[in-house]
Amino acid sequence: MLMKTLHESGLINGDCLTVTGQTWAEYLEDIEWDPNQKVIYPATDPISPTGGVVGLWGSLAPDGAIVKVAGLHTLQFSGPARVFDGEEACFEAVSNRDYKEGEVLVIRYEGPKGGPGMREMLSTTAAIYGQGMGDKVALITDGRFSGATRGFCIGHVGPEAQEGGPIGLLKDGDIITIDAEKGTIDVRLTPAELEDRKRQWKPRITAYGSGALQKYAALVGPAHKGATTHPGFAGERHVYADI
């Protein structure tokens, strides 16, 4: 029924083949919607228009970012940046309560290349929430979050810091504005100011100068394209399933 309502609303491609040998349109033709059930909502009348996760774009994240809005009471936040290179530095500051209400905590160099590996920033967000500051600060990172994250937390900011993205050019005090209703995330800097900082920027030297993680960092693509180490189907010339 879920696929049925998505198809009828034009949200999936009905021409795609299924393992039955039928297309989705053919497979779903005889499926009937059960109006008496209360589990699946029709696509025309969803619980919320966006779902629990929202994409953000703007001058701070030209390649996008992700915020979990489920459970949030306030969908806008603006404040001065407090910048940390790596999660450990931010966690230490939070543990020592060395941060202020209204700040936007920035954890950078935790993206696919910068981590390397895009670690989960759960410990810091848990500490912030445990201190009762979950709704008083925001946190943004080029790393990622799990579904257990609580509070105004934005992950997957791209381009990541290790590639010279805007998040890597931030300084303490820069004003960051987030609007999860409009889907925007911006920093109050002009394009000229960002470009000037970019000229002075250098990538961070990671702890991995050789070995598997060095190879991974050299090959991995951006988060918004799946953080893969290969071109995917576009580069496929041999079907390995054919034996």
Side-chain angles (χ1 to χ4, degrees), residues 2-191:
L2 176 60
M3 297 298 291
K4 179 81 169 181
T5 186
L6 290 173
H7 175 56
E8 290 180 342
S9 299
L11 297 173
I12 62 171
N13 184 352
D15 294 333
C16 292
L17 284 174
T18 69
V19 293
T20 66
Q22 296 175 300
T23 64
W24 268 117
E26 292 169 335
Y27 186 78
L28 294 170
E29 190 173 346
D30 296 328
I31 302 297
E32 295 184 4
W33 178 264
D34 180 1
N36 298 315
Q37 56 83 36
K38 298 180 180 180
V39 177
I40 303 172
Y41 282 62
T44 53
D45 184 27
I47 293 177
S48 74
T50 63
V53 177
V54 169
L56 307 174
W57 286 267
S59 61
L60 186 51
D63 286 347
I66 296 294
V67 59
K68 188 178 79 171
V69 296
L72 285 183
H73 301 294
T74 302
L75 298 180
Q76 293 84 23
F77 197 98
S78 184
R82 180 75 183 283
V83 183
F84 300 92
D85 290 349
E87 184 189 21
E88 288 80 4
C90 186
F91 183 74
E92 182 179 359
V94 171
S95 298
N96 295 328
R97 293 183 178 269
D98 182 20
Y99 66 107
K100 298 176 182 178
E101 180 177 333
E103 288 184 325
V104 180
L105 307 183
V106 178
I107 302 178
R108 62 189 181 188
Y109 293 104
E110 291 289 5
K113 288 182 179 292
M118 208 172 185
R119 289 190 299 170
E120 178 184 338
M121 303 290 106
L122 181 58
S123 59
T124 303
T125 58
I128 291 170
Y129 202 89
Q131 293 174 0
M133 295 288 281
D135 59 347
K136 297 177 175 63
V137 297
L139 189 149
I140 70 170
T141 179
D142 51 9
R144 65 182 178 86
F145 295 113
S146 75
T149 300
R150 293 174 287 183
F152 215 143
C153 301
I154 293 99
H156 294 231
V157 172
E160 62 174 292
Q162 190 68 14
E163 292 190 313
I167 191 173
L169 310 177
L170 293 176
K171 297 180 180 179
D172 287 345
D174 289 339
I175 302 301
I176 296 172
T177 301
I178 306 156
D179 191 324
E181 282 189 320
K182 295 180 179 178
T184 58
I185 179 168
D186 294 291
V187 57
R188 197 179 297 171
L189 294 170
T190 66

